[in-house]
Amino acid sequence: MIIKIPKLFTGNNYVDIVVLASIFLLGLTPLTTSAKEKSVYGYLEPVVLYPDKIPLIAKLDTGAVTASLSATDIYLYKKNGKRYVKFKVSHPKIEKTLKYDLPVVRIAKIKNRASEEKSESYDPRPVVKMPIYFDGRLYDIAVNLIDRTHFTAPMLLGRKALDKLNAVVDGTTKYTIQ
């Protein structure tokens, strides 16, 4: 099998310069979203949970797909044929326990951690929309509900939320938002 390699240079200096300039300029053109359009944050950042305006710390985790919020007393039920969930936002680092009653967006299947000894490899978790204030802007993000009281941060922001926030994470820093 013979593969023909196209001849890029013609011997005509003008054409050769145009070809080289085109190759150079194509290399400078970003094929995806530019990092300049994104802001860099540390792996721990402050977030305000709305509408109650409760400050809390979120872990920005590029290894997680979805966002999680520390919740206890999670109770799923149906109202008018739709799924709802009652829960408390609770964590040792949150001064006030908040009660919510929200529609369920979906039930997520979250992979269990390797350290957890459970018979199932996935945990079903209710997902709700929660408004958060992050770096001067209000966002509506989907969060799954799980008891995170044994973790340092009551909220985890995974890749889907980070994309919505236009965030890039520097794992060597924390608390970059003033």
Side-chain angles (χ1 to χ4, degrees):
M1 176 185 222
I2 299 174
I3 300 173
K4 290 188 175 185
I5 300 173
K7 186 176 178 183
L8 293 176
F9 301 105
T10 63
N12 178 337
N13 284 341
Y14 176 75
V15 173
D16 291 346
I17 289 171
V18 169
V19 169
L20 281 172
S22 298
I23 292 170
F24 175 75
L25 291 174
L26 184 62
L28 295 178
T29 306
L31 298 176
T32 59
T33 304
S34 170
K36 291 180 183 175
E37 297 173 14
K38 296 187 179 276
S39 296
V40 179
Y41 300 100
Y43 72 97
L44 292 175
E45 293 293 350
V47 168
V48 178
L49 196 60
Y50 268 66
D52 299 299
K53 299 180 183 175
I54 302 298
L56 52 93
I57 298 301
K59 178 180 180 186
L60 282 57
D61 188 350
T62 61
V65 176
T66 58
S68 297
L69 179 63
S70 187
T72 58
D73 299 334
I74 299 168
Y75 174 72
L76 287 162
Y77 69 99
K78 283 200 174 189
K79 179 167 77 173
N80 299 327
K82 294 185 180 183
R83 292 185 294 190
Y84 278 78
V85 62
K86 289 182 182 183
F87 62 96
K88 294 178 185 174
V89 173
S90 180
H91 192 272
K93 293 192 176 177
I94 300 175
E95 293 178 15
K96 183 178 176 184
T97 299
L98 305 169
K99 293 180 183 180
Y100 288 94
D101 187 357
L102 297 173
V104 174
V105 175
R106 65 185 171 86
I107 301 293
K109 288 174 62 176
I110 306 297
K111 188 175 181 180
N112 286 329
R113 299 172 68 179
S115 63
E116 295 176 355
E117 294 182 23
K118 294 186 178 181
S119 60
E120 299 292 322
S121 59
Y122 292 91
D123 272 335
R125 297 185 195 168
V127 176
V128 297
K129 288 283 190 174
M130 294 293 295
I132 64 165
Y133 190 76
F134 181 85
D135 196 16
R137 292 189 60 202
L138 192 62
Y139 298 91
D140 198 27
I141 63 166
V143 296
N144 67 66
L145 306 174
I146 187 70
D147 185 352
R148 292 183 52 84
T149 55
H150 57 286
F151 290 111
T152 305
M155 179 175 266
L156 180 136
L157 299 175
R159 290 189 305 270
K160 286 183 180 180
L162 294 173
D163 184 43
K164 201 171 202 177
L165 303 172
N166 263 345
V168 174
V169 181
D170 178 352
T172 64
T173 62
K174 56 186 176 180
Y175 308 121
T176 63
I177 300 172
Q178 300 303 321

